[in-house]
Amino acid sequence: MIEIKTRAEIEIMRESALIVSKTLGILAKEIKPGVTTLQLDKIAEEHIRDHGAEPGFLGLYDFPNTLCMSPNEQVVHGIPNATPLEEGDIISIDCGALKNGFYGDHAYTFAIGDIDPKVEKLLKVTKESLYIGIREFKLNNRVGDVGYAIQQYCEAHGYGVVRELVGHGLGKKMHEDPEMPNYGRRGKGKKFIEGMVVAIEPMINMGTHRIKQHRDGWTITTLDKKPSAHFEHNVALVDGKPELLSTFAYIYDALGIKSDEEAEFRQEALVL
């Protein structure tokens, strides 16, 4: 059952989402060769708690950490460890926060120094597909419209679209209805209704769409061990249109990147 949110609840969710956004911005300044994912995990937990929230992933389904940290061929759900990051790596960081009874949850894939141009293109196309999908999240469209748009764009570039892992509704629970696959058929699936809040999150592989789960019960890698990218936003349906609750602006501010990619999904300018 889809849990519709009031305008007041959407604003509470925006606060939770922005705690995650700011956490990713803090991490963007720290990600470099030699840093371990465990070090980044500690920074994230402290920042979330300092802002009156609880880490959304820590203990959820018994996950052991604050962040899902997935380098290179890892798709999602990587567990932080003591292995240092290296020049040329990429790492997907998925972060959640719970405040005032509502979750925020989004993700970004970072480059560690200079990366292979082919991998850089994977990141670019995956992030572009996120916004292509968000544009389809509008009144009376359906789940399949979002998935179809993402799938067509990514497969046109020769990439694999993961099937087993999907986006989701978001609210008082981390995972609510509806499931939001990154593949599908136009006009199929549940219809979008005013007040819905979802996490749209393309998980796109450079090679095959097939994946493998590891013995730790969490880590997911590409079957062919080629790189994977993951970008995620939290989006509310407001006045029939998609409105971002999360932002990558704090990441871009930390990295010195100029971007207006989010402007069409905001009713007013975001103040950093």
Side-chain angles (χ1 to χ4, degrees), residues 7 10 134-140 193-196 235-244 264-267:
R7 292 293 181 93
I10 287 172
I134 290 171
R135 289 189 191 103
E136 297 297 322
F137 181 60
K138 53 190 177 184
L139 196 64
N140 294 325
I193 306 166
E194 182 78 9
M196 287 178 66
V235 196
L237 193 57
V238 178
D239 295 330
K241 299 179 293 186
E243 182 174 326
L244 285 182
E264 66 183 282
F265 306 112
R266 297 198 179 281
Q267 293 185 352

Side-chain angles (χ1 to χ4, degrees), residues 7-101:
R7 292 293 181 93
E9 288 173 330
I10 287 172
E11 290 309 309
I12 294 172
M13 292 193 69
R14 191 191 308 276
E15 184 177 357
S16 298
L18 289 178
I19 288 172
V20 177
S21 300
K22 292 174 182 177
T23 302
L24 292 174
I26 293 292
L27 294 175
K29 300 175 183 178
E30 305 295 331
I31 295 172
K32 54 191 146 186
V35 172
T36 71
T37 49
L38 269 177
Q39 290 173 312
L40 297 174
D41 189 74
K42 182 179 179 182
I43 291 168
E45 180 176 356
E46 290 177 353
H47 186 265
I48 290 168
R49 294 192 188 280
D50 286 347
H51 285 76
E54 298 176 18
F57 296 166
L58 183 61
L60 184 69
Y61 313 127
D62 294 325
F63 188 74
N65 291 86
T66 293
L67 301 174
C68 293
M69 308 281 280
S70 308
N72 301 319
E73 74 274 12
Q74 290 187 22
V75 182
V76 288
H77 302 163
I79 298 173
N81 58 47
T83 303
L85 297 174
E86 297 183 2
E87 180 84 15
D89 285 344
I90 60 171
I91 186 159
S92 300
I93 302 182
D94 198 353
C95 180
L98 175 64
K99 187 172 184 180
N100 297 321

Side-chain angles (χ1 to χ4, degrees), residues 2 23 27 36 38 42 50 53 93 95 112 131 144 152 159 176 182 250 253 256 261 272:
I2 295 173
T23 302
L27 294 175
T36 71
L38 269 177
K42 182 179 179 182
D50 286 347
I93 302 182
C95 180
I112 315 299
Y131 294 107
Q152 292 300 305
Y159 298 141
E176 297 184 351
N182 298 302
Y250 297 100
D253 186 56
E261 66 192 15
L272 295 182

Side-chain angles (χ1 to χ4, degrees), residues 64-207:
N65 291 86
T66 293
L67 301 174
C68 293
M69 308 281 280
S70 308
N72 301 319
E73 74 274 12
Q74 290 187 22
V75 182
V76 288
H77 302 163
I79 298 173
N81 58 47
T83 303
L85 297 174
E86 297 183 2
E87 180 84 15
D89 285 344
I90 60 171
I91 186 159
S92 300
I93 302 182
D94 198 353
C95 180
L98 175 64
K99 187 172 184 180
N100 297 321
F102 286 91
Y103 282 96
D105 163 34
H106 49 283
Y108 192 91
T109 301
F110 295 87
I112 315 299
D114 293 327
I115 62 174
D116 187 307
K118 292 181 179 179
V119 179
E120 190 171 14
K121 182 183 176 184
L122 171 68
L123 269 57
K124 178 177 181 290
V125 169
T126 303
K127 183 152 66 71
E128 289 170 349
S129 79
L130 169 62
Y131 294 107
I132 286 169
I134 290 171
R135 289 189 191 103
E136 297 297 322
F137 181 60
K138 53 190 177 184
L139 196 64
N140 294 325
N141 264 15
R142 294 180 180 270
V143 166
D145 296 312
V146 173
Y148 176 88
I150 292 171
Q151 179 182 12
Q152 292 300 305
Y153 188 72
C154 293
E155 289 184 349
H157 285 84
Y159 298 141
V161 179
V162 174
R163 304 297 200 272
E164 295 88 344
L165 305 161
V166 299
H168 51 90
L170 187 70
K172 291 182 178 179
K173 296 179 180 179
M174 175 66 75
H175 299 110
E176 297 184 351
D177 284 338
E179 289 191 343
M180 297 288 296
N182 298 302
Y183 61 93
R185 296 172 59 190
R186 285 203 177 278
K188 299 295 182 179
K190 294 183 178 180
K191 186 180 287 188
F192 298 137
I193 306 166
E194 182 78 9
M196 287 178 66
V197 179
V198 298
I200 298 175
E201 49 178 319
M203 289 158 275
I204 308 300
N205 302 340
M206 180 174 282

